[in-house]
């Protein structure tokens, strides 16, 4: 429920008030607490970018609170094929996002809160931010056992992770963002973070898997709203600023000029997949041949998300070398993705009039698509 800012006077100092967008212009010069009304990961990441690029963070600190619909968020230098189950995500409508900060892969849904702490470079202090979150949790549930680790995770009861951290350091400004697992779907979390590809070689940053727990499992009476409000209150009190949470809509181009373009870039194939560090993948599978089995080996090198080299090793008596070469030639230069590969191989299959060879080529093409 939105409360008019004129009601502010009626509330005690650190009771959180929520005001719509208009509050941004007249907001405190020293510090600001923003909360997104959108659960679209690309819009929210675009808003992070927008704040980073456009707001005066030299003399002002900003806390941004946001949640997303089902999404896997990979780090800036990661390989999505290596980190998650893309086929499962496509099937379930789970989004993929690549953030601008480094680090590992996490799963978001509305049961996960994200907190972004913007400061100037000098004031960038991840441990201080995490201590603030712990203090907020303790203000709600004094008995809760949450501690920050030296890799800036938050652990519950000393052994299960409830928060992961990443950061982006600019020349003059910086942000630290972290998650807070409140009530995410843990079955989906573990299913999406399991990659089906075991044979990818790359220098991409690997994630550090951990046992996770939701805060709601510890205390089912907590809610995301309660937790966000408690963190906002603690932030306001710590920075001695107004306890208003300004509700903002990252889809509002008038308020945030240029934000649509930022969101479009974050959603693009070139950013999501094309930014993957170069990798190679190898696979082998068997094809039933009358009473026996034939082994097929495929190796590919993928650069900027596109197939750079490709080798397909099948016995020549099964498929003539020339046909293998033709398939390879068509694949090289195309995107390492099921859509484009299906289009390429379908066009190629149309050129084959020999029924038997067509079906063999087709088996091969189908297998290649499942690799993606
Ligand atoms: N939502 C969430 N929160 C905490 N931990 C998680 C989550 N999802 C998965 N995991 C666990 O963390 C590891 C990966 O840990 P790892 O340490 O490799 O990576 C991170 O923690 C990155 C945190 C990024 C935070 C950003 C803040 C705003 S946008 S995303 C994964 O394999 C799971 O075991």
């Amino acid at each position: 429920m939105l409360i008019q800012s004129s009601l502010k006077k009626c509330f005690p100092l650190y009771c959180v008030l929520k005001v719509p967008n208009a509050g941004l212009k007249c907001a405190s010069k020293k510090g600001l607490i923003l909360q997104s009304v959108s659960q679209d990961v690309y819009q929210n990441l675009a808003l992070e970018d927008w704040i980073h690029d456009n707001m005066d963070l030299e003399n002002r600190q900003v806390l941004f609170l946001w949640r997303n619909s089902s999404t896997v968020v990979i780090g800036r230098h990661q390989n999505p094929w290596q980190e998650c189950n893309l086929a499962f995500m496509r099937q379930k409508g789970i989004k993929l996002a690549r953030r601008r900060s480094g680090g590992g892969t996490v799963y978001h849904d509305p049961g996960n809160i994200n907190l972004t702490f913007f400061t100037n470079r000098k004031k960038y202090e991840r441990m201080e931010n995490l201590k603030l979150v712990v203090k907020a949790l303790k203000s709600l549930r004094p008995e809760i056992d949450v501690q920050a680790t030296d890799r800036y995770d938050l652990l519950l009861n000393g052994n299960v992770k409830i928060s992961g951290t990443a950061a982006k350091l600019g020349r003059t400004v910086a942000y630290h963002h972290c998650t807070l697992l409140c009530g995410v779907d843990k079955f989906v979390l573990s299913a999406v973070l399991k990659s089906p590809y075991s044979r990818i070689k790359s220098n991409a940053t690997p994630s550090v898997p951990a046992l996770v727990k939701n805060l709601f499992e510890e205390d089912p009476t907590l809610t995301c709203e309660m937790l966000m409000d408690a963190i906002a209150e603690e932030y306001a009190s710590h920075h001695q600023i107004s306890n208003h949470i300004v509700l903002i809509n990252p889809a509002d181009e008038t308020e945030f000029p240029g934000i649509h373009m930022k969101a479009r870039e974050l959603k693009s194939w070139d950013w999501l997949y094309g930014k993957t560090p170069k990798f190679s993948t190898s696979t082998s599978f068997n094809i039933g041949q009358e009473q026996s089995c034939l082994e097929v080996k495929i190796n590919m090198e993928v650069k900027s998300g596109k197939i750079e080299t490709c080798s397909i090793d099948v016995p020549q008596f099964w498929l003539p070398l020339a046909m293998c070469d033709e398939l390879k030639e068509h694949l090289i230069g195309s995107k390492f993705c099921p859509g484009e590969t299906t289009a390429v191989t379908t066009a190629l299959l149309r050129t084959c009039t020999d029924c038997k060879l067509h079906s063999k080529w087709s088996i091969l093409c189908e297998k290649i698509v499942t690799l993606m």
Side-chain angles (χ1 to χ4, degrees):
M1 188 183 69
L2 298 185
I3 303 167
Q4 296 302 309
S5 54
S6 54
L7 290 179
K8 180 185 165 193
K9 291 185 220 81
C10 315
F11 287 82
L13 186 60
Y14 293 122
C15 158
V16 171
L17 288 175
K18 301 204 173 173
V19 294
N21 259 11
L24 196 52
K25 295 188 188 77
C26 54
S28 152
K29 288 265 179 294
K30 237 181 100 195
L32 193 55
I33 306 169
L34 307 175
Q35 184 179 323
S36 175
V37 297
S38 165
Q39 290 195 354
D40 180 295
V41 68
Y42 308 112
Q43 289 180 354
N44 285 329
L45 287 173
L47 190 60
E48 266 193 337
D49 277 0
W50 194 95
I51 296 171
H52 178 270
D53 296 349
N54 297 289
M55 276 181 80
D56 171 20
L57 298 166
E58 264 307 320
N59 310 300
R60 174 153 72 177
Q61 318 218 6
V62 177
L63 169 64
F64 172 43
L65 303 164
W66 46 296
R67 289 191 286 163
N68 294 319
S69 59
S70 264
T71 310
V72 171
V73 184
I74 61 172
R76 172 76 179 80
H77 307 289
Q78 288 202 291
N79 180 322
W81 292 276
Q82 210 168 4
E83 293 297 336
C84 47
N85 189 334
L86 293 166
F88 176 81
M89 287 161 62
R90 277 182 216 116
Q91 198 190 332
K92 301 280 175 199
I94 299 170
K95 292 175 196 152
L96 172 73
R98 182 189 292 276
R99 57 179 193 270
R100 302 228 183 250
S101 61
T105 301
V106 287
Y107 173 67
H108 293 180
D109 70 18
N112 174 80
I113 300 172
N114 299 298
L115 315 161
T116 311
F117 297 88
F118 293 92
T119 55
N120 62 36
R121 267 298 283 261
K122 279 180 235 105
K123 290 218 168 105
Y124 164 79
E125 189 32 278
R126 286 167 293 177
M127 202 44 95
E128 193 181 297
N129 300 333
L130 292 176
K131 280 187 183 152
L132 190 147
V133 176
V134 173
K135 211 168 161 202
L137 293 176
K138 289 219 176 257
S139 74
L140 285 175
R141 297 293 178 266
E143 68 289 352
I144 205 158
D145 172 12
V146 178
Q147 266 153 20
T149 69
D150 52 9
R151 64 186 305 275
Y152 305 102
D153 284 344
L154 286 182
L155 294 188
L156 183 66
N157 304 325
N159 55 7
V160 279
K161 180 170 171 177
I162 56 162
S163 169
T165 270
K168 181 172 157 65
L169 291 157
R171 207 169 39 82
T172 53
V173 297
Y175 64 77
H176 159 217
H177 51 192
C178 63
T179 59
L180 194 58
L181 283 169
C182 303
V184 305
D185 189 326
K186 286 210 306 187
F187 294 104
V188 176
L189 182 148
S190 65
V192 286
L193 299 185
K194 247 180 241 133
S195 162
Y197 321 108
S198 53
R199 285 192 272 175
I200 289 181
K201 279 198 205 129
S202 81
N203 292 326
T205 309
S207 294
V208 182
L211 277 178
V212 295
K213 194 167 177 181
N214 282 308
L215 278 167
F216 297 172
E217 291 176 63
E218 193 73 0
D219 185 340
T221 64
L222 289 168
T223 64
C224 286
E225 282 300 324
M226 278 163 77
L227 288 159
M228 286 195 285
D229 288 356
I231 292 163
E233 273 191 54
E234 198 52 55
Y235 188 85
S237 129
H238 185 83
H239 295 286
Q240 293 170 320
I241 56 164
S242 148
N243 53 344
H244 280 69
I245 292 181
V246 182
L247 296 176
I248 45 173
N249 179 7
D252 186 347
E253 181 74 20
T254 326
E255 184 86 14
F256 308 107
I259 199 156
H260 284 171
M261 216 173 71
K262 286 183 187 294
R264 214 175 308 131
E265 190 204 337
L266 290 162
K267 213 176 177 167
S268 69
W269 194 93
D270 286 352
W271 172 255
L272 295 173
Y273 299 94
K275 281 283 177 271
T276 305
K278 185 174 173 170
F279 67 98
S280 67
T281 168
S282 64
T283 187
S284 64
F285 48 87
N286 293 321
I287 294 173
Q289 159 85 353
E290 280 138 26
Q291 259 90 42
S292 62
C293 246
L294 293 177
E295 196 189 21
V296 176
K297 288 185 194 150
I298 299 178
N299 294 305
M300 287 188 213
E301 282 180 328
V302 183
K303 193 180 172 192
S304 305
K306 292 192 174 152
I307 301 166
E308 194 181 43
T309 65
C310 174
S311 75
I312 303 172
D313 188 4
V314 303
Q316 268 193 48
F317 70 84
W318 188 74
L319 193 72
L321 192 62
M323 285 190 79
C324 254
D325 286 346
E326 213 177 333
L327 179 55
K328 275 188 309 198
E329 273 163 33
H330 277 77
L331 288 172
I332 289 171
S334 71
K335 286 177 182 167
F336 187 73
C337 79
E340 187 154 321
T341 306
T342 305
V344 164
T345 55
T346 310
L348 190 60
L349 282 167
R350 265 193 230 115
T351 66
C352 181
T353 47
D354 181 316
C355 215
K356 248 185 159 178
L357 288 177
H358 184 284
S359 91
K360 289 176 179 180
W361 226 2
S362 169
I363 294 171
L364 212 50
C365 294
E366 261 173 45
K367 285 280 183 190
I368 291 171
V369 170
T370 61
L371 292 176
M372 299 161 176

